[in-house]
Amino acid sequence: MNFVPVQVYINYIDAHIAKGQLEEEGIECWLKDEHLVSTTPFLTQAVGGIKLMVAEDDRDRTISILRQIDADKRANLACPRCQSTDVEFVTTPRKASNWLGTIFGGLFGDLSLAGDKVYHCFSCGHEFPIPDDPQ
């Protein structure tokens, strides 16, 4: 059976969620480079992320399912400023404290840039925190 990549993830959590949802639909799949990216995250870009692999015969059906999952997820979250659903969860290093932490860390051998996780609206550019869980 020939497997092809249909989606790339930068973290194993999103990759496993998608894999589980596809398996519920009866699609056989696996994650390529999952262990490498999980154990050495700084290599994520070098290896191209975690690839969700499916049988070539299931490719079109898988893409359709993943698009529907993404559409459902976006429909449940809207920008509080413009009500657009073109919103994505991102990491942003924009706060001054993040940059100061990086400079301080650089003096002691750690050059990583801390970031805040926020939702970013691609329609109006507004960034907002994770909404409270309504439950």
Side-chain angles (χ1 to χ4, degrees), residues 2-114:
N2 190 24
F3 283 83
V4 294
V6 292
Q7 184 74 24
V8 177
Y9 298 92
I10 59 170
N11 70 62
Y12 71 94
I13 296 170
D14 292 337
H16 273 276
I17 290 171
K19 180 179 180 274
Q21 290 170 322
L22 292 175
E23 287 173 342
E24 283 183 13
E25 296 287 333
I27 295 176
E28 183 181 350
C29 55
W30 59 282
L31 300 171
K32 182 177 180 181
D33 295 326
E34 169 196 10
H35 299 294
L36 179 64
V37 170
S38 297
T39 57
T40 51
F42 61 89
L43 292 177
T44 301
Q45 295 297 325
V47 299
I50 301 170
K51 286 117 187 105
L52 179 61
M53 307 293 289
V54 300
E56 198 167 17
D57 296 341
D58 291 332
R59 182 181 180 277
D60 293 337
R61 181 171 170 237
T62 299
I63 290 171
S64 175
I65 291 169
L66 291 174
R67 283 185 181 153
Q68 185 59 49
I69 290 168
D70 187 54
D72 292 345
K73 182 174 72 171
R74 288 178 183 269
N76 292 326
L77 181 65
C79 173
R81 181 180 287 165
C82 71
Q83 303 307 314
S84 169
T85 57
D86 190 13
V87 174
E88 191 72 36
F89 193 57
V90 298
T91 302
T92 178
R94 293 193 184 153
K95 285 188 178 177
S97 61
N98 294 341
W99 288 100
L100 291 174
T102 299
I103 293 168
F104 182 74
L107 296 173
F108 297 100
D110 179 17
L111 295 176
S112 62
L113 179 61

